[in-house]
Amino acid sequence: MRPSLQNVVASTFRGLHTVAPLSRPQRCFHQPIFASIPRKRSFFTSHRLLASSTKDGVSTTSEDDTTNSSETQQQSPTPASKRKPVRASAAKTLRLGLTTKPPQRTTTPRKDTTDSEMDYRRTITSICVAQSFDMEAVQDILRFHAFELDPDGTEFDPTGVVHARGINNGDIFVFPSGTVVAWSVPTDALMTLATKQLIRAAQLPHLNRLEMEELEFIPDESRDTSYMKGEVVVLGTRAQELENHRLDTTLAKIAFSSGLARSPKLAVLENQAIDYFQNSKNSLDFIEGGLEHKLKRSAVLKMTGQLLSLRSQLNHYSDITDQLPDMFWDSESNLENYYNQISTILDIRQRIGILNKKIDYGFENVSVLREMVSEKYGHRLEWIIIFLITIEVLFELRRVYRESISEASSE
């Protein structure tokens, strides 16, 4: 017999009374109503603009606040990100003296470039890796690596400059002063070429003292001539675009590159002078303290040789001090103008004059140390002579004493 609905419901209620009561749930903390309300702009602030209250979604600032805010906006300068910082040149650093190392110079990123490709295509990079290059070996290395030599027929003497083209259609100029200048060539590719390939043709390389200089250039299709606009080279490419004739453009690049190549070469010599003065500082500190300086003659000779080598590299073994390279004498007059423009921007003449004065100062210090060392050795020789004379006098007294004793005994 099936149980009725009433019996089922009654048995269910009886089971609920027999089941153990459930555990009481733990009480949770809830966010109060006032804490959930959004914080007003005027909450704990003394800023006049933030303290302005809002009503019905419309800002109701006072007239004074509006006036002050407008004045603040007028007086506030333009954002720094929209301004291109000025690139620090090597000459500006050298004007402070050769007692501190100049900071690493790199160009600031251009705001009109969106990727690295556009960056290097508007960059002139110059790097000095050695004291000099064997230009015949340079040509052999570039030919071996499938570079096209003198592609535009400039017919310059290869002992003065070697022009090659091959990396992304960029131009590479190698100078006998141990410097390589590249136009529109990636920096890593130029470093690989200069430090791994061309280094085999280098004489007295200095890979631990590399110096690099970078400038920006802008092609101008509406001009035949080029010029310097600040520290930016404006390259006239009208003949190249209209007649597909790159000779004039290449000649301008060679003139600018020849002037730019002097800057990293000069920076290497500047750093050598800085290192020399830092190393000789200890000797001068001994003299300043009135202490006897324990300097050997070989050390003074080494310091003299460093200064002589520095001066010879600056004034004799390179074309840094030349007013105009020999290869430009028979060329157009514009090349001399380009060379002088970039040399003026980089303050080449002023830096050469300052470095020569610093070398003169170094020679004065060396001459003082040389005199001190010579005086020290002279004093030593004097004491040796005095000691020998004393011994001779003692032997003579001994002889006279023996003679007197012998005469007394014979009598």
Side-chain angles (χ1 to χ4, degrees):
M1 183 176 180
R2 296 180 61 184
S4 62
L5 181 59
Q6 295 179 354
N7 296 333
V8 173
V9 174
S11 62
T12 303
F13 277 102
R14 286 193 300 270
L16 290 175
H17 289 286
T18 58
V19 176
L22 298 175
S23 60
R24 188 176 181 180
Q26 297 179 356
R27 189 173 181 178
C28 300
F29 291 96
H30 299 278
Q31 185 179 17
I33 298 176
F34 293 101
S36 62
I37 298 176
R39 182 182 298 176
K40 294 183 180 180
R41 298 179 64 186
S42 60
F43 185 79
F44 287 141
T45 180
S46 59
H47 199 286
R48 302 185 63 181
L49 296 179
L50 295 180
S52 62
S53 60
T54 57
K55 183 177 181 181
D56 296 333
V58 180
S59 176
T60 59
T61 56
S62 60
E63 296 180 359
D64 296 338
D65 294 341
T66 306
T67 305
N68 294 335
S69 63
S70 61
E71 293 178 356
T72 305
Q73 292 177 0
Q74 292 177 1
Q75 295 177 1
S76 60
T78 56
S81 59
K82 295 184 181 180
R83 298 178 57 190
K84 180 179 177 182
V86 181
R87 193 184 67 85
S89 63
K92 297 175 183 178
T93 303
L94 191 64
R95 293 192 191 103
L96 301 178
L98 286 175
T99 57
T100 57
K101 280 185 176 293
Q104 192 71 19
R105 302 184 305 275
T106 56
T107 55
T108 55
R110 265 72 65 180
K111 60 182 180 181
D112 57 342
T113 58
T114 56
D115 52 8
S116 60
E117 182 179 1
M118 293 300 295
D119 188 14
Y120 76 79
R121 292 192 180 211
R122 295 292 180 267
T123 303
I124 314 171
T125 307
S126 177
I127 180 173
C128 182
V129 297
Q131 181 175 338
S132 61
F133 275 135
D134 183 359
M135 301 305 287
E136 294 183 359
V138 167
Q139 297 180 69
D140 296 338
I141 293 173
L142 293 177
R143 289 194 190 98
F144 179 79
H145 290 278
F147 283 92
E148 185 181 2
L149 300 183
D150 197 12
D152 301 321
T154 58
E155 297 182 356
F156 277 127
D157 187 1
T159 59
V161 61
V162 173
H163 176 206
R165 182 177 296 148
I167 299 179
N168 297 327
N169 204 26
D171 294 300
I172 299 175
F173 303 97
V174 184
F175 295 92
S177 60
T179 309
V180 184
V181 181
W183 295 61
S184 303
V185 176
T187 304
D188 54 352
L190 177 61
M191 289 290 293
T192 302
L193 176 64
T195 60
K196 294 185 178 180
Q197 307 301 333
L198 295 179
I199 202 66
R200 294 179 292 175
Q203 298 176 358
L204 300 178
H206 45 75
L207 295 180
N208 57 338
R209 290 184 285 108
L210 296 180
E211 286 294 332
M212 181 180 295
E213 182 80 23
E214 291 185 354
L215 291 180
E216 182 183 1
F217 79 95
I218 301 175
D220 190 353
E221 301 176 0
S222 62
R223 295 179 58 91
D224 292 328
T225 59
S226 304
Y227 65 98
M228 292 290 299
K229 185 178 180 181
E231 291 190 351
V232 178
V233 178
V234 180
L235 190 64
T237 58
R238 181 179 179 182
Q240 177 179 341
E241 298 295 335
L242 296 180
E243 304 175 3
N244 196 18
H245 187 63
R246 305 184 61 171
L247 179 60
D248 294 339
T249 304
T250 301
L251 291 176
K253 288 183 177 181
I254 292 177
F256 284 120
S257 300
S258 180
L260 179 61
R262 299 198 294 173
S263 183
K265 180 67 175 181
L266 188 56
V268 172
L269 301 181
E270 292 167 356
N271 287 334
Q272 289 184 10
I274 293 171
D275 295 337
Y276 169 80
F277 285 113
Q278 287 181 349
N279 295 332
S280 62
K281 186 176 182 299
N282 295 331
S283 304
L284 302 180
D285 290 341
F286 271 99
I287 301 175
E288 182 182 3
L291 302 176
E292 183 180 359
H293 184 59
K294 298 180 180 179
L295 189 64
K296 297 182 179 180
R297 184 178 297 178
S298 59
V300 176
L301 186 62
K302 182 179 179 181
M303 296 171 64
T304 306
Q306 290 176 352
L307 287 175
L308 291 174
S309 175
L310 186 61
R311 171 158 285 179
S312 61
Q313 292 182 53
L314 177 62
N315 299 290
H316 301 292
Y317 296 157
S318 62
D319 56 354
I320 298 178
T321 56
D322 293 344
Q323 298 295 330
L324 185 68
D326 296 338
M327 59 183 176
F328 294 151
W329 282 107
D330 299 332
S331 302
E332 300 178 0
S333 59
N334 283 336
L335 299 184
E336 180 180 358
N337 187 20
Y338 301 156
Y339 180 84
N340 292 330
Q341 284 185 27
I342 195 168
S343 299
T344 302
I345 291 297
L346 297 175
D347 293 338
I348 299 297
R349 294 181 182 177
Q350 290 83 349
R351 294 165 63 185
I352 291 174
I354 292 174
L355 186 55
N356 272 319
K357 291 181 180 179
K358 296 295 181 179
I359 294 175
D360 293 337
Y361 169 73
F363 272 112
E364 293 178 2
N365 293 341
V366 169
S367 63
V368 172
L369 295 177
R370 188 186 303 113
E371 291 178 1
M372 294 183 62
V373 172
S374 300
E375 184 179 358
K376 180 180 178 180
Y377 278 89
H379 290 167
R380 182 178 299 179
L381 290 176
E382 290 176 0
W383 281 108
I384 292 175
I385 293 173
I386 293 173
F387 178 74
L388 294 176
I389 293 175
T390 303
I391 293 177
E392 184 179 0
V393 170
L394 292 177
F395 275 103
E396 184 66 21
L397 292 175
R398 179 174 175 271
R399 184 184 64 80
V400 172
Y401 177 75
R402 284 191 173 185
E403 288 180 357
S404 63
I405 294 297
S406 59
E407 291 177 357
S409 61
S410 61
E411 292 178 358

